[in-house]
Amino acid sequence: MKQLFLLVSGLVIMMPVLADTGVRLENFTYPYPVEVMEFESQQQNLEMAYMDVSPVGKPNGQSVVLFHGKNFCAATWAELIHVLTQHGYRVVAVDQVGFCKSSKPSNYQYSFHQLAANTQHLLEKLGIQKPIIMGHSMGGMLATRYALLYSENVRGLMMVNPIGLEDWLHKGVPYISIDTWYDNQLGMSAEGIKRYQKNTYYAGNWRKDYDVWVDMLAGQFDADREKSAWISALIYDMILTQPVVHEFDKLKVPTWLFIGEQDNTAIGKAYVNEEIKAELGNYAALAKQTRAAIPGAMLTTFPNMGHSPHIQSPNRFHQSVLRAMDHWLN
């Protein structure tokens, strides 16, 4: 068993990493205690895992809810959770249904509307009102949908390199069937994950501390390849066919974008020619377009960072987030 040590603002967190993490990450330790909400959805009894972390010292009365991306989990927010709780925030980091430590039903209609409704159910149970919602990657698409559905329960919306800043089907990506996604995902490997993450998440650079997130994702496939590939295919279909970009102008909540400009994420770009591919995933341009589309949106850019600035340069990212929150709340 490998052990990864994360240094979180002076706090050392030990995270065991196994080759087989378990299809629901049973063998992967999260940085804070994991709780589970049992509920019924689509005639199934499901579990939604989450971390609910209390503020350290004097609470400031504010809550932050964190939405992970497709290839991420609540655990990837470990360092931000530590920083926010040190500044008085209550933080809830959710594993959505279909991901990580939550139930992974194979017969489920995955939609951003459904995942947002599941999250609202959890927040009502926890008594959390008007939190700041932060979503990374696919979590940015979900956070947008949540803010559109439950604007009265959102103090502010923060998006970290959200995907879906462009409509890929509209820009030339063909419809990709769930069966095609499934066949593609069956070949998932740690080597392929690392190669993709290096070029997209971290702007061509790699550090040893990134390995844990590769192992976290790959280990789920090692535990049950067919199940993991099928659910991944269903989720890719959700992402490709349920754009939120056309509704950015309808957002009614304060919004702040945090964008690593070296990101090049574009779902389905492997299925298009080089001419179309060159037009996709230009985050330096998409950041400005999105700020203009969302009423009153604010934008912080990181010119030398990729898809995951909160992992690539935590201190710089945390300082930017805290300044944005102070701007809103003070």
Side-chain angles (χ1 to χ4, degrees):
M1 180 179 69
K2 294 188 291 182
Q3 291 182 333
L4 181 94
F5 294 86
L6 290 179
L7 181 62
V8 182
S9 299
L11 175 69
V12 175
I13 296 177
M14 183 179 69
M15 301 180 71
V17 182
L18 304 178
D20 177 355
T21 61
V23 71
R24 285 183 59 178
L25 293 182
E26 298 91 340
N27 302 323
F28 187 91
T29 302
Y30 274 28
Y32 298 95
V34 176
E35 302 179 61
V36 172
M37 177 184 73
E38 297 180 353
F39 69 113
E40 183 176 336
S41 176
Q42 299 182 22
Q43 299 185 340
Q44 301 180 66
N45 294 320
L46 302 176
E47 295 180 338
M48 190 170 182
Y50 62 96
M51 293 179 287
D52 183 1
V53 188
S54 299
V56 177
K58 184 179 179 181
N60 64 13
Q62 305 295 329
S63 298
V64 181
V65 180
L66 303 174
F67 294 172
H68 60 76
K70 181 188 180 299
N71 296 328
F72 302 83
C73 296
T76 55
W77 291 113
E79 296 193 54
L80 180 62
I81 294 171
H82 177 74
V83 169
L84 290 177
T85 54
Q86 288 289 327
H87 283 79
Y89 292 92
R90 176 185 182 182
V91 181
V92 175
V94 181
D95 276 345
Q96 297 295 333
V97 168
F99 295 85
C100 309
K101 288 185 178 289
S102 290
S103 295
K104 297 184 173 181
S106 299
N107 184 21
Y108 196 71
Q109 198 271 318
Y110 288 94
S111 73
F112 289 118
H113 287 78
Q114 179 67 72
L115 299 184
N118 295 348
T119 304
Q120 176 65 5
H121 180 43
L122 172 64
L123 298 186
E124 289 175 353
K125 178 182 178 182
L126 296 178
I128 294 178
Q129 298 179 352
K130 294 192 75 67
I132 293 172
I133 302 293
M134 177 180 287
H136 169 240
S137 190
M138 181 209 75
M141 294 184 76
L142 175 57
T144 298
R145 179 57 60 201
Y146 182 89
L148 289 166
L149 289 172
Y150 306 106
S151 59
E152 73 285 349
N153 194 46
V154 178
R155 184 173 300 279
L157 171 63
M158 292 184 165
M159 292 190 281
V160 184
N161 281 78
I163 61 173
L165 300 184
E166 54 191 340
D167 185 337
W168 302 292
L169 292 174
H170 180 73
K171 296 187 75 170
V173 174
Y175 173 70
I176 303 163
S177 72
I178 293 174
D179 290 328
T180 299
W181 281 122
Y182 173 68
D183 290 340
N184 175 278
Q185 294 297 286
L186 282 173
M188 184 75 73
S189 69
E191 293 78 11
I193 293 169
K194 180 176 180 178
R195 183 168 56 250
Y196 175 77
Q197 291 189 1
K198 178 180 179 180
N199 294 330
T200 300
Y201 294 1
Y202 310 117
N205 300 305
W206 194 262
R207 297 198 311 256
K208 186 65 177 177
D209 56 291
Y210 298 157
D211 286 345
V212 63
W213 310 125
V214 172
D215 294 341
M216 181 185 70
L217 179 59
Q220 296 170 75
F221 281 80
D222 291 339
D224 191 330
R225 182 159 299 274
E226 292 187 358
K227 181 181 180 68
S228 295
W230 178 249
I231 293 172
S232 182
L234 296 177
I235 292 167
Y236 267 124
D237 185 75
M238 173 185 76
I239 294 170
L240 185 62
T241 64
Q242 299 177 31
V244 297
V245 60
H246 306 297
E247 298 176 74
F248 281 156
D249 63 336
K250 298 178 182 177
L251 284 167
K252 300 178 180 178
V253 302
T255 302
W256 206 300
L257 299 160
F258 300 88
I259 304 294
E261 293 187 331
Q262 297 302 308
D263 192 358
N264 56 27
T265 304
I267 300 301
K269 68 180 179 182
Y271 297 89
V272 300
N273 60 40
E274 292 301 317
E275 181 180 358
I276 295 175
K277 187 181 297 184
E279 298 297 319
L280 300 177
N282 182 353
Y283 268 74
L286 290 170
K288 298 178 178 63
Q289 294 172 17
T290 306
R291 178 182 60 182
I294 299 174
M298 304 290 285
L299 171 64
T300 298
T301 59
F302 307 102
N304 300 320
M305 296 190 207
H307 187 63
S308 300
H310 60 303
I311 299 174
Q312 190 175 359
S313 186
N315 290 337
R316 185 176 172 192
F317 176 77
H318 299 156
Q319 291 170 8
S320 297
V321 168
L322 290 172
R323 283 196 297 267
M325 290 181 171
D326 287 343
H327 178 81
W328 278 349
L329 302 175
N330 296 325

